[in-house]
Amino acid sequence: MEQTVYLETLGCQMNKLDAELIRQRLGQEGYRFTLDADQAGVIIFVTCSVRQRAEDKVLSKIGQLRRRHDQQKDLILAVAGCMAERLGPALFDLHPQVDVVCAPGRIHQLGELIARARHERRRQVALNDPAEQSALEDLDASRRQTDADHPFMAYLRVMRGCNKFCSYCVVPYVRGREVSRPPESIVAEAQRLADRGVKEITLLGQTVNSYCHRNGTTTVRLADLLARVHEIAGLERLRFVTSYPRDFDERLLAAMADLPKVCEYLHLPAQSGSDRILAAMNRRYTAGQYLDLIERARQRVPGIAVAGDFIVGFPGEREEDFEATCELMRRVRYKNCFIFKYSPRPGTRADGDLADDVPTETKRRRNQILLDLQEEISLADNQAFVGQTVEILVEGPSKNPHLDEGRTGPADPAYSRSLGRSGPADSGSIQLVGRTRGDHIVVLQARPDRIGRIVPVRVVRASALTLFAEPVR
Ligand code: SAH
Ligand code: SF4
Ligand code: F3S
């Protein structure tokens, strides 16, 4: 039991990658993993601090482990990830049952910290330290595992940290300053992933298009990196997330237009449509500049799908600011949007300087209005796909065979039946799920031998969240 680990991950793709690396490293050190926390001698939470809710969720899970920790004397409870850096040793005061606090910049030492906590019977804490960058790079470069659930797709970290300091955001504080990984190391990792059968790679960074690696007189930007990774045989699709509007240059648009493996997809958060709020957020662009960029992208890369993020209820957001956000959403016509209610983060500029003055009820209402508006846009734009043939990478069996009964009203029952796992549509066929180059989710009834392949399908029906398709013979 001592060597058995239960690991739970919250937060973004950065955390999921960190969790994969922790799993790999601990596996090499002789640990085994269990999905049953009750069977574990080590419990690890990889935590997120981006909103208070993300912290509350894991703090309550940690709280529930107090009694067990009192009973099982050798149990080690480790808190890794962004909240470990944000709260540091204060976590021991909040929850005395915590044994290890390990920030994102120290995950290469997690095994050592666990061993020391156990043998010295003393709490261990390791916070971010810029001196550890080369050890972190070694850990990233050592990556061999991929996500078992999605063997044909992988995220690949190209940079760590963030330098933007948007006034509401905790990420630069918990993940540290921006560091771009060496291009050779990234290309080697992409090659290894392709050798293992990965067909689609998503390059990952908090502001991925700010990627910039200097070595002597050569500077490698994201456009150059895409061109290098593009050369790898076996790889069929490339994406990159998340882009920061101000750092988007013509060379990157040209790379998207010219490199056939680079998908017609951008995740480009606007956060707000009001110039006054954008300035208070320290985003350093206006709604007009953002719209210009979208227009240039649509000219250079026809059919490009754009995903976005918005925060509602930022301090001082008045009705007219919110209206401007709705207007931006209508003009961009996003493929999908992530919408968040402002959550004050201690230590950030917005929290220090501005009162969280938008009432909870107003935040809730604005959030719902944006969700409804986006749903209307997604539904209309998805319906335009009906009758078209699109290319999808088939990811695997659909985990949720009733996807089509989403939020857009009841599905056509006959079609639902034909998509059901037990449906008699075609002997040996099951419900599969895949994605288009524009990242639209597609569900189809087909034989499982299509999994892992890129195939053309014809869209026969659409909801706001999903395209329903049939194989093209
Ligand atoms: N680096 C990415 C994403 C960072 S966090 C980017 O810049 O786009 C993901 C999203 O969480 C952000 O885009 C933002 O919309 C939201 N977010 C960040 N801090 C927040 C806060 N304090 N309250 C509510 N939402 C927040
Ligand atoms: Fe946070 Fe802004 Fe950096 Fe994104 S760009 S991680 S929102 S500070
Ligand atoms: Fe990601 Fe949350 Fe950290 S969004 S970078 S895990 S604060």
Side-chain angles (χ1 to χ4, degrees):
M1 200 160 177
E2 233 181 53
Q3 293 290 103
T4 305
V5 179
Y6 171 81
L7 187 149
E8 195 173 317
T9 310
L10 292 99
C12 67
Q13 288 301 335
M14 282 293 168
N15 258 10
K16 293 194 181 126
L17 265 181
D18 285 351
E20 269 180 32
L21 291 168
I22 289 172
R23 198 179 283 274
Q24 175 178 303
R25 192 44 81 86
L26 293 183
Q28 289 160 350
E29 291 172 14
Y31 288 93
R32 281 171 294 113
F33 288 83
T34 174
L35 295 173
D36 180 1
D38 292 340
Q39 298 303 314
V42 180
I43 294 181
I44 303 172
F45 292 110
V46 185
T47 61
C48 172
S49 278
V50 78
R51 282 168 290 276
Q52 189 57 44
R53 252 174 76 109
E55 289 198 352
D56 290 346
K57 226 160 100 181
V58 74
L59 285 170
S60 112
K61 287 180 192 237
I62 294 168
Q64 284 161 19
L65 286 166
R66 186 168 189 162
R67 279 206 19 229
R68 167 142 173 231
H69 198 273
D70 287 343
Q71 287 156 3
Q72 188 182 334
K73 286 287 173 230
D74 58 353
L75 177 71
I76 297 291
L77 176 54
V79 180
C82 295
M83 194 179 75
E85 172 68 18
R86 196 181 84 71
L87 293 175
L91 263 167
F92 300 134
D93 304 330
L94 278 172
H95 288 297
Q97 65 274 34
V98 173
D99 300 292
V100 173
V101 170
C102 177
R106 303 293 286 276
I107 52 171
H108 52 292
Q109 292 165 329
L110 184 54
E112 207 179 303
L113 295 166
I114 292 169
R116 254 196 272 148
R118 180 166 277 152
H119 297 123
E120 296 173 15
R121 298 189 171 278
R122 263 195 324 157
R123 289 166 171 162
Q124 304 291 322
V125 53
L127 300 179
N128 285 346
D129 178 352
E132 297 293 329
Q133 278 300 336
S134 80
L136 277 180
E137 178 52 35
D138 291 346
L139 182 65
D140 265 328
S142 75
R143 179 202 189 180
R144 292 293 179 277
Q145 281 178 352
T146 51
D147 179 359
D149 287 342
H150 294 104
F152 311 106
M153 300 150 70
Y155 285 89
L156 198 174
R157 172 157 37 214
V158 302
M159 57 203 285
R160 292 183 282 271
C162 179
N163 276 357
K164 300 303 181 203
F165 288 93
C166 301
S167 64
Y168 50 82
C169 184
V170 78
V171 172
Y173 301 94
V174 293
R175 289 264 162 186
R177 288 307 78 76
E178 179 184 304
V179 176
S180 291
R181 294 184 57 200
E184 307 73 43
S185 185
I186 294 166
V187 172
E189 190 172 334
Q191 180 70 60
R192 278 197 306 272
L193 290 168
D195 292 344
R196 297 182 67 123
V198 168
K199 297 212 166 138
E200 176 178 312
I201 287 184
T202 302
L203 304 181
L204 193 63
Q206 293 296 350
T207 58
V208 68
N209 56 324
S210 315
Y211 176 87
C212 183
H213 188 270
R214 290 197 181 85
N215 191 357
T217 52
T218 48
T219 301
V220 177
R221 303 298 312 257
L222 185 63
D224 311 303
L225 190 60
L226 283 170
R228 292 200 198 179
V229 177
H230 195 269
E231 297 291 300
I232 296 172
L235 267 189
E236 301 196 45
R237 285 178 169 186
L238 268 172
R239 303 181 194 279
F240 53 91
V241 295
T242 305
S243 293
Y244 182 69
R246 221 179 100 116
D247 292 348
F248 218 95
D249 59 0
E250 290 303 322
R251 282 191 61 224
L252 187 50
L253 283 179
M256 293 188 84
D258 298 341
L259 299 170
K261 293 179 185 176
V262 178
C263 293
E264 296 75 26
Y265 172 77
L266 263 189
H267 184 185
L268 191 71
Q271 311 295 1
S272 171
S274 153
D275 290 345
R276 206 172 63 82
I277 297 297
L278 285 170
M281 286 177 163
N282 192 33
R283 290 290 287 182
R284 293 180 286 183
Y285 54 83
T286 62
Q289 287 166 333
Y290 180 88
L291 281 166
D292 280 350
L293 172 56
I294 297 284
E295 195 168 312
R296 275 186 288 138
R298 292 215 155 116
Q299 272 165 10
R300 290 293 265 134
V301 189
I304 193 167
V306 184
D309 294 7
F310 286 100
I311 296 175
V312 294
F314 186 81
E317 185 186 67
R318 299 195 285 251
E319 214 47 41
E320 65 255 36
D321 299 307
F322 176 65
E323 271 305 316
T325 296
C326 296
E327 182 54 23
L328 182 74
M329 198 181 227
R330 278 190 286 264
R331 294 192 47 189
V332 175
R333 297 193 78 82
Y334 291 95
K335 179 193 77 107
N336 69 291
C337 279
F338 302 95
I339 300 156
F340 306 103
K341 292 178 237 157
Y342 173 69
S343 167
R345 305 317 294 134
T348 60
R349 257 185 42 212
D351 185 54
D353 297 351
L354 307 167
D356 180 18
D357 58 359
V358 177
T360 309
E361 178 50 30
T362 309
K363 285 183 186 169
R364 200 200 55 77
R365 181 175 55 80
R366 290 178 183 166
N367 183 62
Q368 192 57 47
I369 292 171
L370 285 189
L371 285 173
D372 291 345
L373 180 55
Q374 182 55 46
E375 182 168 332
E376 198 182 303
I377 293 167
S378 298
L379 181 61
D381 289 357
N382 278 356
Q383 258 151 10
F385 280 98
V386 174
Q388 284 186 33
T389 296
V390 295
E391 188 190 278
I392 65 168
L393 170 59
V394 183
E395 291 168 15
S398 162
K399 285 200 180 113
N400 177 4
H402 299 293
L403 260 178
D404 58 332
E405 286 157 5
R407 298 179 297 145
T408 50
D412 167 4
Y415 194 76
S416 284
R417 254 196 317 279
S418 83
L419 283 173
R421 268 182 218 256
S422 55
D426 181 5
S427 62
S429 74
I430 58 168
Q431 188 174 319
L432 299 173
V433 61
R435 274 171 205 261
T436 67
R437 289 173 60 95
D439 204 44
H440 293 87
I441 298 169
V442 178
V443 165
L444 84 157
Q445 185 78 25
R447 274 188 234 281
D449 63 0
R450 283 190 170 77
I451 294 171
R453 284 162 49 194
I454 291 184
V455 296
V457 297
R458 205 175 65 88
V459 180
V460 293
R461 212 176 65 80
S463 74
L465 300 174
T466 315
L467 304 177
F468 300 92
E470 50 187 39
V472 173
R473 285 173 224 284

